[in-house]
Amino acid sequence: MKNENYTGLTEKEVQDSRARHGENVLTPPEKDPLWRLFLRKFHDPLIIILLIAGTLSIGISCYEYFYLDSSVAVFFEPVGIFIAILLATGLSFIFETLADKEFSILNQTGDEEPVQVIRSGNTVKIPRKEVVVGDILIIETGEEIPADAEILDAVTLKVDESTLTGEPVCNKSADEKDFDPNATFPTNHLMRGTKVMEGHGVCRVFAVGDETENGKVFEAAQIDNSVKTPLNEQLDGLGRLISNLSYAIAGAIIVAKLLVFFNWAPIALTLLLPVGLFFYLVIYKFKTWKASACISTIAIFFTVFIGCVLGIHTLVEPQQEVSVLMAYALQTVMIAVTLIVVAVPEGLPMAVTLSLAYSMRRMLKTNNLVRKMHACETMGAATVICTDKTGTLTQNQMRVYKADFYGLTAQRLGNDSMSEMIAEGIAVNSTAHLDLSDTEKVTVLGNPTEGALLLWLRDNDRDYMKLKARTRRIAEIPFCTERKYMATLVESASGKRILYVKGAPEIVMSLCTDVCANVSREEIEKQLETYQNQAMRTLGFAYRELTDDENVIKDGTLCTTDLTFIGIVAISDPVRKDVPDAVKECMNAGIRIKIVTGDTPNTAKEIGRQIGLWEETDTERNIITGPEFAALSDEEVRERVMELKIISRARPMDKKRLVEALQALGQVVAVTGDGTNDAPALKAAHVGLSMGDGTSVAKEASDITIIDNSFFSIGRAVMWGRSLYQNIQRFLLFQLTVNVAACLIVLIGAFMGTKSPLTVTQMLWVNLIMDTFGAIALASLPPTERVMRDKPRNRKDFILNKSMMKNILGVGGFFFAILFGFLYLFMHTDISQLTELLHEPLGKKHEVTVYEQTLLFSIFVWTHFWYMFNTRGYMSGGSGLDLKGCRGFKYIATIIVIGQILIVEVMYDFFNIMPMKWQDWVIIIGLSSLVMWAREARQLLRRNTQKCCPHLI
């Protein structure tokens, strides 16, 4: 190959080409400004509800402050709401921005690296970004291809295309007889981003920048499909339910209060019937709020209509003053808005954000670097994992699977002369090298297959460099696809002249007249067939001792067929040790695994068999090649996609199409990959999982990076996601139960004609601070492997299941009944200590005293505090007091206890209460704890019954 055969482009041709085809750079994705990213956090339905409630609360607080001469304390509620909003949106924004900064280094593409080109007949070096279409490139071993190019001339050229196709070694040639019709990319094409592993050549550039195959993949990876995550869908549904429900109840309050104003109290009470009807329909009949709300709304209007017809004659003063009516109406609206504020769990968005952030930090300890917060939970909903083979399931490093050298007494090399000769032959008859600069990971430089042999020597405590140094090379025949063998003649360390040959076993055997240890050719062929059926590469080895006057290499040709065959070696890219167990764990958890690789069908099928995916009962319906998959219509893809286990010879967009087809069928798809070819699918998936040593394009497109490259860590991510979702359900159960009790007590207080049993600041503590702390305590519970025995949840299922709704309404109603009972007693007695209720007779109705309100507030807080332990054990069936590994839960429970004591005993003026007597502390804490002990007793009885009489459970 002579450079003078090529003149290359002139300077003018370079400028014209750059003007026509652009520069050789990948266009970076356009990033939104920080302010827009922050505002995007306000799209959450619950945040929108809080904004509306906060705005209404400001209006009412202004009215109370300016027209009713209330204190500045009336602004605590709206301030608290907006603090909750800023905390929820701000924390989410900060965590994701910091994660983006950690990943920013991945965008560095090395555009300034020099490459050799021929221009105007001269060989020059230019930055790779200045390469243009038509340039003549000179490529050498170890270089990265800077642009898509057509080979003009090549010598033993082998290229690593694993970043694009998953294939670590591809033979490249300009000779048509060497073309592989099954290759993913043409044999005479070199693709940007691939690496020359062996040989050298000259090529002409035909595509640069975004027009290269690598550029198309990079561009596809930037497409934002705006795929809604399962958690987003669930919270959207919850937000709609809470908003519609709170607005409906607030509207009912306004109507009912006006009816009370006109002395239609009996009709007002009947409005409770359609409200009860709504809850019944949601839980038992329609399982959805839409139909239930429609029927209940019709019932409300029907009730009001009947009330108007039957109660019109009961008007006491038909000409009531407008001012009195307006004042009453405004007070009613304030009660309705207060109820909306109480109904909406202000702390929920912040609790969700903090729990996701907490999971991000904890998942890092399991080698999952989370970039996007939603990915923490979405992994738990995954129903399909699409994975590439090279570097994800396998080690992406060729290794010797088995070495069968017939003259050895054991599989390992010993100290005998035969072992020494085999080691020397492998060391000198090789062009590869090992990079030992990183003691943690040895890197092969050159041909991966030869590198596998050097690694085998290293595993056998042999230093290939020392072995080479003790010999003198006399002649060499390099490997080429025509010969399919390599031969090296050396003066051995023993002083003998020895010819070493390695290559395709059938070719090497044809050069031999003898086999070491008298092994039969039939036995060798049987061994080879076994390895080749497992999609392994095989090499045969032979040698011959020569006399000083023998010349067996003439003009680059081997002139002897009198060699001795000494053995074969099977080489493969081995499956990572932890992958089979990890795949089994995911499959047992109901997750489908699909392999998408650029490798041959046989290789992909064998890897599938080794990891436990491909079974003997599987047929051709379960495997397909990339070209065959691309030829299918969309309808055919939908019909077959769930059956597929393996797509071989896949191109980058095949994997993306697979992901989109699965998503169209309602599947929650996670994609794993480490190459540039995986980027479009990583971006399109619900969760993209890149490998720690993957390409920068793959990492940029992903949501989570698996730092240790282990498929096992993916199983841990699924476990974290499922546990996190259960934790979210737990704190929803806790918060909404509190809100139901609070709403009902505020509602009944309004109709009883007394001031609100719980003040604004008290509700702020209960609904924002305590509930949020409780939610965070539940969200910080550690994951459990038990969730990996469950099937993936249905993403269409409402986040509040039937059991949760029963608990929310049942337990919330029970707590309300307790509070209402005490409220009624306090309104008809005048006590200064709880024990006085035992002998104090009921009297006339009066306003509740400050001490009685303190008792009511404390009863409310402590019953819900103990209920937090009940929700801790929800869904696990275990004890709520089993706090092993729940350090965060313990800390936050302690904070709530200390906070409640400080509020009652120190900050009582701010909360409109007063210090309690120690006897009441003991009574309230002790009796309210029965909420927890009752569940513990029931669970203990259930466990004992299950052990003794399992047939009764």
Short mmCIF file of all heavy atoms in Angstrom, two decimals, residues 696-715:
data_model
loop_
_atom_site.label_atom_id
_atom_site.label_comp_id
_atom_site.label_asym_id
_atom_site.label_seq_id
_atom_site.Cartn_x
_atom_site.Cartn_y
_atom_site.Cartn_z
N SER A 696 -19.87 7.51 25.98
CA SER A 696 -20.45 8.74 26.52
C SER A 696 -21.84 8.98 25.95
O SER A 696 -22.72 9.50 26.65
CB SER A 696 -19.54 9.93 26.20
OG SER A 696 -19.38 10.09 24.81
N VAL A 697 -22.06 8.61 24.69
CA VAL A 697 -23.38 8.80 24.08
C VAL A 697 -24.42 7.94 24.80
O VAL A 697 -25.54 8.40 25.07
CB VAL A 697 -23.34 8.46 22.58
CG1 VAL A 697 -24.74 8.53 21.97
CG2 VAL A 697 -22.41 9.41 21.84
N ALA A 698 -24.07 6.71 25.14
CA ALA A 698 -24.98 5.83 25.85
C ALA A 698 -25.30 6.38 27.23
O ALA A 698 -26.47 6.39 27.66
CB ALA A 698 -24.38 4.43 25.96
N LYS A 699 -24.30 6.86 27.95
CA LYS A 699 -24.52 7.40 29.29
C LYS A 699 -25.40 8.64 29.24
O LYS A 699 -26.28 8.84 30.09
CB LYS A 699 -23.18 7.73 29.95
CG LYS A 699 -22.35 6.50 30.30
CD LYS A 699 -21.02 6.92 30.92
CE LYS A 699 -20.13 5.74 31.22
NZ LYS A 699 -18.81 6.14 31.72
N GLU A 700 -25.18 9.49 28.25
CA GLU A 700 -25.95 10.72 28.13
C GLU A 700 -27.42 10.42 27.88
O GLU A 700 -28.31 11.15 28.32
CB GLU A 700 -25.39 11.58 26.99
CG GLU A 700 -26.13 12.89 26.76
CD GLU A 700 -26.02 13.85 27.92
OE1 GLU A 700 -25.02 13.78 28.66
OE2 GLU A 700 -26.95 14.64 28.12
N ALA A 701 -27.70 9.34 27.16
CA ALA A 701 -29.08 8.99 26.81
C ALA A 701 -29.79 8.25 27.94
O ALA A 701 -31.01 8.10 27.89
CB ALA A 701 -29.09 8.13 25.55
N SER A 702 -29.06 7.81 28.96
CA SER A 702 -29.65 6.93 29.97
C SER A 702 -30.19 7.72 31.16
O SER A 702 -29.91 8.91 31.34
CB SER A 702 -28.60 5.92 30.45
OG SER A 702 -27.56 6.59 31.14
N ASP A 703 -30.96 7.03 31.99
CA ASP A 703 -31.49 7.58 33.24
C ASP A 703 -30.68 7.11 34.44
O ASP A 703 -30.59 7.79 35.45
CB ASP A 703 -32.95 7.17 33.43
CG ASP A 703 -33.83 7.57 32.26
OD1 ASP A 703 -33.91 8.78 31.98
OD2 ASP A 703 -34.41 6.69 31.61
N ILE A 704 -30.14 5.90 34.33
CA ILE A 704 -29.34 5.30 35.41
C ILE A 704 -28.08 4.71 34.79
O ILE A 704 -28.14 4.11 33.72
CB ILE A 704 -30.13 4.19 36.14
CG1 ILE A 704 -31.39 4.76 36.80
CG2 ILE A 704 -29.26 3.50 37.19
CD1 ILE A 704 -32.27 3.69 37.45
N THR A 705 -26.95 4.90 35.46
CA THR A 705 -25.72 4.25 35.03
C THR A 705 -25.35 3.17 36.04
O THR A 705 -25.25 3.44 37.24
CB THR A 705 -24.56 5.26 34.90
OG1 THR A 705 -24.87 6.19 33.86
CG2 THR A 705 -23.26 4.56 34.57
N ILE A 706 -25.19 1.94 35.54
CA ILE A 706 -24.77 0.82 36.39
C ILE A 706 -23.25 0.88 36.49
O ILE A 706 -22.54 0.51 35.57
CB ILE A 706 -25.22 -0.53 35.80
CG1 ILE A 706 -26.73 -0.48 35.46
CG2 ILE A 706 -24.91 -1.65 36.76
CD1 ILE A 706 -27.62 -0.24 36.64
N ILE A 707 -22.76 1.37 37.62
CA ILE A 707 -21.33 1.67 37.77
C ILE A 707 -20.47 0.43 37.62
O ILE A 707 -19.40 0.47 37.00
CB ILE A 707 -21.07 2.36 39.12
CG1 ILE A 707 -21.83 3.69 39.18
CG2 ILE A 707 -19.59 2.60 39.34
CD1 ILE A 707 -21.77 4.36 40.52
N ASP A 708 -20.92 -0.69 38.19
CA ASP A 708 -20.08 -1.90 38.15
C ASP A 708 -20.39 -2.78 36.95
O ASP A 708 -19.91 -3.91 36.87
CB ASP A 708 -20.25 -2.70 39.45
CG ASP A 708 -21.69 -3.19 39.65
OD1 ASP A 708 -22.57 -2.78 38.87
OD2 ASP A 708 -21.91 -3.98 40.58
N ASN A 709 -21.20 -2.27 36.00
CA ASN A 709 -21.51 -3.00 34.76
C ASN A 709 -22.20 -4.33 35.02
O ASN A 709 -22.21 -5.21 34.16
CB ASN A 709 -20.26 -3.26 33.92
CG ASN A 709 -19.48 -1.99 33.64
OD1 ASN A 709 -20.04 -1.01 33.18
ND2 ASN A 709 -18.20 -2.01 33.93
N SER A 710 -22.79 -4.50 36.17
CA SER A 710 -23.35 -5.80 36.54
C SER A 710 -24.85 -5.84 36.32
O SER A 710 -25.57 -4.95 36.78
CB SER A 710 -23.04 -6.10 38.02
OG SER A 710 -23.73 -7.24 38.45
N PHE A 711 -25.30 -6.89 35.63
CA PHE A 711 -26.74 -7.07 35.46
C PHE A 711 -27.41 -7.31 36.81
O PHE A 711 -28.58 -7.01 37.00
CB PHE A 711 -27.01 -8.26 34.51
CG PHE A 711 -28.38 -8.27 33.92
CD1 PHE A 711 -28.64 -7.66 32.71
CD2 PHE A 711 -29.43 -8.89 34.58
CE1 PHE A 711 -29.92 -7.66 32.16
CE2 PHE A 711 -30.70 -8.90 34.05
CZ PHE A 711 -30.94 -8.28 32.83
N PHE A 712 -26.64 -7.82 37.76
CA PHE A 712 -27.16 -8.04 39.11
C PHE A 712 -27.65 -6.73 39.73
O PHE A 712 -28.65 -6.70 40.44
CB PHE A 712 -26.08 -8.67 39.99
CG PHE A 712 -26.47 -8.86 41.43
CD1 PHE A 712 -27.29 -9.91 41.80
CD2 PHE A 712 -26.05 -7.97 42.40
CE1 PHE A 712 -27.66 -10.08 43.13
CE2 PHE A 712 -26.42 -8.12 43.72
CZ PHE A 712 -27.22 -9.19 44.09
N SER A 713 -26.91 -5.64 39.46
CA SER A 713 -27.31 -4.33 40.00
C SER A 713 -28.65 -3.88 39.44
O SER A 713 -29.36 -3.10 40.08
CB SER A 713 -26.23 -3.29 39.69
OG SER A 713 -25.01 -3.62 40.33
N ILE A 714 -29.01 -4.37 38.24
CA ILE A 714 -30.31 -4.04 37.67
C ILE A 714 -31.42 -4.66 38.51
O ILE A 714 -32.45 -4.04 38.76
CB ILE A 714 -30.39 -4.51 36.21
CG1 ILE A 714 -29.35 -3.77 35.37
CG2 ILE A 714 -31.79 -4.31 35.63
CD1 ILE A 714 -29.21 -4.30 33.97
N GLY A 715 -31.19 -5.90 38.97
CA GLY A 715 -32.15 -6.53 39.88
C GLY A 715 -32.32 -5.74 41.15
O GLY A 715 -33.43 -5.61 41.69
#
